[in-house]
Amino acid sequence: MKFKVSKSFLILVVLPTLLAFAYYFFIASPQYTTNSRFAVRNNQQPTAIDTLAGLGLKGSSSTTSDAYIINSYIYSLDGIRDVAKEVNINAIFGGNSIDLLSRLEEKPSQEDLLKYWKRRVKTGYDANTGIIDLDVSAFNANDSLVLSNALIKNSENLVNSLSIRAQKDSLKLAEADVNRAEIKLATIKDKIRLFRTQNLAIDPAKSAEGQL
């Protein structure tokens, strides 16, 4: 019994499979991934983020909000630019030793850079524990670790700055409340002083009793 293989099957299935096999086993540059786990802490902690080996922490609503802010920051151009201040991203991802399909082009547009970055950096968030998982892939184990550490440090700085800003806003609101209370108290004192002057009385309450 003979089986006939159509040309379309060879072109659409067999050939791509063989090409993918050849690429991944003979051409593709090896990749190394650093996995980090960290959690957002409240403002009372010494630092906003602690790297975790695995803790069952419950996240508050503010913690959840900060976690989503961090996630958005890591995937943003601002996050990339902050890392680029400390690490040569083009050297890490654009080296000649990296295969062409995996390599970052020499002068990528912002859109292409962001798209490439999202291929190398992955995050996940567990709302029940408040823990963020960060996976950073590079073509050198040390580069992967350096990038991961830079992202964690910059995320911590971001959360700390947000915490400081929130504290300043709270202080401004408290000062405004105090100012309003002082103005109200001063107004009451002025009314009492005016009443005393007009009625030659020391205590408005006793004066009212005397009239009764």
Side-chain angles (χ1 to χ4, degrees):
M1 186 175 181
K2 295 182 178 180
F3 293 93
K4 290 185 178 181
V5 180
S6 65
K7 290 183 179 179
S8 60
F9 178 80
L10 291 174
I11 295 174
L12 297 176
V13 179
V14 177
L15 183 58
T17 301
L18 291 176
L19 290 175
F21 178 85
Y23 170 73
Y24 284 109
F25 282 90
F26 300 107
I27 300 175
S29 302
Q31 297 186 33
Y32 303 84
T33 301
T34 297
N35 174 263
S36 303
R37 308 181 74 206
F38 56 91
V40 180
R41 292 292 190 86
N42 58 45
N43 296 340
Q44 296 176 349
Q45 299 296 331
T47 58
I49 293 177
D50 281 346
T51 302
L52 302 176
L55 299 177
L57 300 178
K58 290 291 183 180
S60 65
S61 58
S62 60
T63 296
T64 300
S65 176
D66 287 343
Y68 283 121
I69 291 174
I70 290 174
N71 188 73
S72 298
Y73 169 74
I74 289 175
Y75 282 135
S76 70
L77 287 172
D78 286 337
I80 298 174
R81 293 189 189 101
D82 289 342
V83 171
K85 294 175 183 178
E86 309 169 38
V87 182
N88 191 335
I89 293 178
N90 289 329
I92 290 178
F93 293 124
N96 293 329
S97 61
I98 303 171
D99 70 88
L100 289 175
L101 294 180
S102 302
R103 188 186 308 171
L104 176 66
E105 58 184 279
E106 187 174 352
K107 293 181 179 180
S109 64
Q110 290 187 349
E111 182 179 353
D112 290 338
L113 176 60
L114 192 57
K115 187 182 299 183
Y116 183 90
W117 183 259
K118 290 180 178 179
R119 288 167 52 194
R120 301 294 168 218
V121 178
K122 303 292 183 183
T123 63
Y125 175 63
D126 188 335
N128 292 323
T129 61
I131 295 176
I132 298 175
D133 271 298
L134 174 65
D135 289 328
V136 180
S137 298
F139 304 97
N140 176 287
N142 184 65
D143 288 341
S144 174
L145 179 61
V146 168
L147 286 169
S148 180
N149 289 340
L151 280 170
I152 292 174
K153 187 190 74 172
N154 292 341
S155 297
E156 178 177 323
N157 291 339
L158 173 64
V159 174
N160 285 337
S161 65
L162 292 175
S163 298
I164 292 172
R165 185 183 305 172
Q167 290 171 359
K168 288 182 177 179
D169 290 342
S170 297
L171 181 59
K172 287 182 180 179
L173 290 174
E175 289 176 344
D177 288 340
V178 170
N179 290 335
R180 283 193 293 269
E182 289 177 346
I183 292 173
K184 186 175 181 180
L185 179 61
T187 301
I188 293 173
K189 287 182 176 180
D190 288 340
K191 290 181 178 179
I192 294 174
R193 190 179 300 110
L194 179 61
F195 180 86
R196 287 174 176 173
T197 302
Q198 292 176 345
N199 296 276
L200 298 177
I202 298 178
D203 191 332
K206 290 183 178 181
S207 176
E209 291 176 359
Q211 292 177 0
L212 293 175

